[in-house]
């Protein structure tokens, strides 16, 4: 599985399909993107090794768990009905339970025994009981956004929510996994949705981003949510839009999955993955899903927008970079007049459409082809000079940090062009790059840091766990053939003095055997123990650990 140069495949040259790797013989992962039943009553797990007794709390995970309703199948991995998982850890023992999110989408689909609410990659099936004319009219009915919140668990004002990227979140009880309230962002502020990756300050103040669509075009909004509740039953009261940034192309805003935050700035990365709003609006008439309205435009640069968190003022300086695609940031911090942004990025933004269910269930050469045409994501560092003024010279590298090979060059009055530094050595290529990055968030988010953790991707899903040491860019790897670990979550030990004092938790999916919760020593990356679950779990997206006193 060697790194190969990007080449155009001769037989596909008409379609202009890029090949980034030349991997052969990938094993089938069909079973880890297959539907399961939920297990709402806790079941015990088998402990192998030792789960440290100081770990007390709930490890919560979110992801798709049901990929068909009746005879109708969802098209895209992101469309599966949200299944919430809880690993309750106490005194070295672990119980497991799961529950389908009781969303309107889930209930309506169940009631009709068909896909009745459109998802990211799947359009609703017309009601078979309606005549041709009624079916045609139903295409004109108002487009109801899905509330199938299957991406992550997030916190606002101390409450837990599950989120996707529409305007609807669900408040969830982390003990029972039951949905207690449906919350609509647009009832509080003028946005049409919000990301599933907010950032939280130490005091609990939370920042997020969401789009709004007006007669003047589309806007990217920075959202601020207060840290605490004034009354017990409130949700997003007091949320405000810190600032609105107009999309360069009014009808084709950029897609973004997350954003970066440093001590004083929110950083919005406007990447050349575009949403064609006209196509989205007419999609239902044409029987097309939202995923058909997303496209990659490599003729455009990537733009970093800096927003001051306390004033809401947008920097007049635009920081440009070559086209890149990013889903997850690692960290961002300010030091010596520079803003350092670390993120996972690839040079091609067409990946999102490759993750349809049909592709993920392929086997043999067809599966290899899907993988080899996907551009890998790698950790990168951009260094943005904060003090660009009239005196700042043009056409020379402004980065004066020692040992930094990133560059920032002023090319116009308000434009600085940036190139990145790789946050890895050549050896990461052997592991298929890195995604689902995590850090010791509570202590080191927005601060200089040394370690990050992630999944290596020698398959369409993570197949290794990686710890990266930025001092020397050295890696530690956990791997086991045929086992697919999910996003690693760092949990600090009670009396931690060093950044990596703690454990890494990851749910590992094995297609033909049982799933298990893996606990690694974060420092040595050696396995401490695992809790084997006697039921199958599909591969999920994001999770969080909630410590209990």
């Amino acid at each position: 599985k060697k790194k190969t140069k990007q080449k155009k495949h001769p037989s596909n040259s008409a379609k202009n399909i890029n090949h980034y790797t030349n991997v052969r013989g990938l094993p089938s992962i069909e079973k880890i993107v297959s539907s399961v039943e939920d297990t709402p009553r806790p079941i015990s797990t088998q402990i192998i090794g030792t789960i440290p007794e100081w770990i007390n709390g709930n490890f919560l995970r979110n992801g798709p768990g049901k990929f068909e309703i009746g005879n109708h199948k969802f098209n895209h991995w992101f469309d599966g009905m949200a299944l919430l998982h809880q690993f309750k850890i106490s005194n070295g023992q672990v119980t497991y339970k799961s529950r389908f999110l009781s969303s309107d989408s889930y209930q309506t689909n169940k009631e009709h025994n068909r896909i009745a609410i459109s998802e990211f990659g799947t359009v609703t099936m017309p009601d078979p009981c309606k005549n041709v004319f009624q079916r045609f009219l139903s295409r004109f009915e108002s487009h109801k956004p899905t509330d199938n919140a299957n991406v992550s668990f997030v916190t606002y004002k101390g409450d837990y929510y599950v989120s996707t990227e529409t305007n609807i979140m669900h408040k969830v009880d982390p003990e029972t996994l039951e949905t207690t309230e449906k919350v609509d962002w647009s009832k509080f502020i003028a946005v049409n949705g919000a990301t599933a990756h907010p950032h939280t300050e130490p005091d609990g103040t939370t920042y997020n981003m969401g789009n709004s669509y007006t007669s003047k075009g589309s806007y990217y909004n920075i959202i601020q949510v207060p840290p605490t509740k004034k009354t017990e039953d409130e949700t997003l009261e007091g949320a405000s839009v810190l600032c609105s940034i107009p999309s360069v192309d009014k009808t084709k805003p950029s897609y973004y999955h997350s954003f970066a935050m440093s001590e004083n700035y929110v950083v919005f990365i406007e990447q050349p993955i575009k949403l064609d709003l006209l196509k989205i609006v007419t999609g239902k008439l044409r029987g097309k899903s939202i995923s058909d309205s997303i496209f990659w435009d490599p003729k455009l640069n990537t733009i970093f927008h800096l927003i001051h968190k306390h004033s809401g003022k947008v920097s007049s300086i635009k920081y440009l970079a070559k086209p890149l695609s990013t889903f997850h940031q690692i960290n961002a911090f300010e030091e010596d007049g520079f803003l350092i942004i670390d993120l996972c990025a690839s040079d091609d933004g067409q990946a999102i459409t490759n993750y349809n269910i049909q592709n993920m269930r392929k086997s043999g050469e067809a599966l290899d082809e899907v993988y080899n045409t996907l551009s890998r994501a790698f950790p990168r560092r951009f260094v943005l000079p904060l003090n660009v003024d009239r005196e700042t010279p043009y056409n020379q590298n402004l980065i004066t940090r020692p040992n930094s090979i990133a560059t920032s060059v002023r090319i116009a009055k308000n434009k600085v062009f940036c190139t990145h530094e790789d946050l890895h050595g050549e050896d990461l290529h052997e592991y298929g790059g890195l995604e689902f990055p995590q850090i010791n968030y509570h202590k080191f988010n927005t601060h200089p840091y040394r370690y990050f953790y992630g999944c290596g991707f020698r398959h369409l899903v993570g197949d290794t766990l990686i710890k990266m040491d930025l001092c020397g860019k050295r890696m530690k790897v956990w791997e086991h053939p045929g086992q697919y670990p999910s996003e690693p979550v760092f949990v600090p030990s009670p009396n931690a003095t060093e950044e990596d004092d703690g454990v890494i938790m990851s749910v590992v999916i094995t297609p033909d055997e049982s799933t298990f919760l893996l606990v690694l020593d974060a420092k040595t990356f050696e396995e401490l123990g695992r809790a084997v679950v006697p039921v199958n779990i599909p591969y999920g997206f994001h999770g969080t650990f909630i410590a209990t006193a």
Side-chain angles (χ1 to χ4, degrees), residues 28-45:
S28 165
I29 55 166
E30 181 175 8
K31 286 186 179 162
I32 70 177
V33 283
S34 296
S35 298
V36 296
E37 296 301 316
D38 59 358
T39 354
R41 290 209 173 112
I43 53 176
S44 53
T45 64

Side-chain angles (χ1 to χ4, degrees), residues 165 195 209-213 217-221 245-258 268-277 280 293-297 300-305 323-326 352:
E165 298 183 332
T195 81
M209 284 195 61
N211 279 8
S212 56
Y213 308 112
S218 43
Y219 290 82
Y220 311 111
N221 301 285
I245 299 168
S247 167
V248 175
D249 186 328
K250 288 187 169 71
T251 61
K252 296 186 179 79
S254 287
Y255 170 77
Y256 54 94
H257 185 76
S258 61
F268 166 51
I269 302 165
E270 192 170 15
Q271 60 188 352
I273 301 176
K274 295 290 183 177
L275 300 167
D276 188 323
L277 296 184
I280 290 173
S293 308
I294 290 186
F295 67 99
W296 166 247
D297 188 351
L300 300 172
N301 281 324
T302 302
I303 307 169
F304 293 82
H305 300 270
L324 62 81
S325 159
T326 180
I352 203 165

Side-chain angles (χ1 to χ4, degrees), residues 304 320-324 341-343 345-347 378-384 399 404-408 417-424 429 473:
F304 293 82
L320 312 177
K322 67 177 190 174
L324 62 81
I341 302 169
D342 296 347
L343 46 77
S346 70
D347 294 319
F378 285 91
R380 296 175 177 176
R381 169 168 290 182
F382 286 90
V383 181
L384 314 185
I399 298 174
S404 178
I405 53 173
T407 69
S408 282
F417 195 88
C418 308
T419 66
H420 69 268
E421 170 186 350
D422 289 329
L423 291 184
H424 61 89
H429 287 279
K473 298 178 184 174

Side-chain angles (χ1 to χ4, degrees), residues 430-485:
E430 293 166 37
Y431 292 94
L434 182 144
E435 246 296 347
F436 291 138
Q438 285 287 328
I439 60 168
N440 180 344
Y441 187 92
H442 295 293
K443 281 271 171 70
F444 288 88
N445 192 49
T446 76
H447 299 293
Y449 71 115
R450 180 171 170 181
Y451 303 107
F452 63 87
Y453 311 88
C455 291
F457 272 76
R458 290 181 303 198
H459 209 308
L460 293 175
V461 296
D463 73 331
T464 58
L465 290 171
I466 294 171
K467 175 186 183 181
M468 184 68 75
D469 182 349
L470 289 173
C471 184
K473 298 178 184 174
R474 294 186 300 266
M475 295 188 340
K476 285 185 165 72
V477 180
W478 181 92
E479 61 180 312
H480 203 289
Q483 296 183 344
Y484 299 95

Side-chain angles (χ1 to χ4, degrees), residues 142-217:
S142 65
H143 180 69
K144 185 181 172 189
T146 178
D147 65 337
N148 175 34
N150 67 4
V151 179
S152 63
F153 273 90
V154 297
T155 323
Y156 293 98
K157 302 182 186 178
D159 287 328
Y160 288 86
Y161 294 82
V162 285
S163 174
T164 177
E165 298 183 332
T166 64
N167 54 318
I168 307 287
M169 294 191 300
H170 290 272
K171 194 193 276 194
V172 169
D173 180 331
E175 285 300 327
T176 64
L177 298 183
E178 285 174 334
T179 312
T180 59
E181 192 174 351
K182 188 171 94 166
V183 178
D184 183 345
W185 278 102
S186 64
K187 298 272 193 296
F188 299 93
I189 47 175
V191 294
N192 295 76
T195 81
H197 290 290
H199 274 293
T200 305
E201 304 265 60
D203 73 348
T205 303
T206 308
Y207 292 87
N208 205 339
M209 284 195 61
N211 279 8
S212 56
Y213 308 112
T214 71
S215 55
K216 291 179 181 166

Side-chain angles (χ1 to χ4, degrees), residues 385-403:
L386 289 170
N387 308 314
V388 177
D389 56 27
R390 278 189 298 195
E391 308 299 312
T392 307
Y394 288 79
N395 304 322
Q396 69 182 60
N397 185 14
L398 301 174
I399 298 174
T400 51
R401 284 169 63 85
N403 308 322

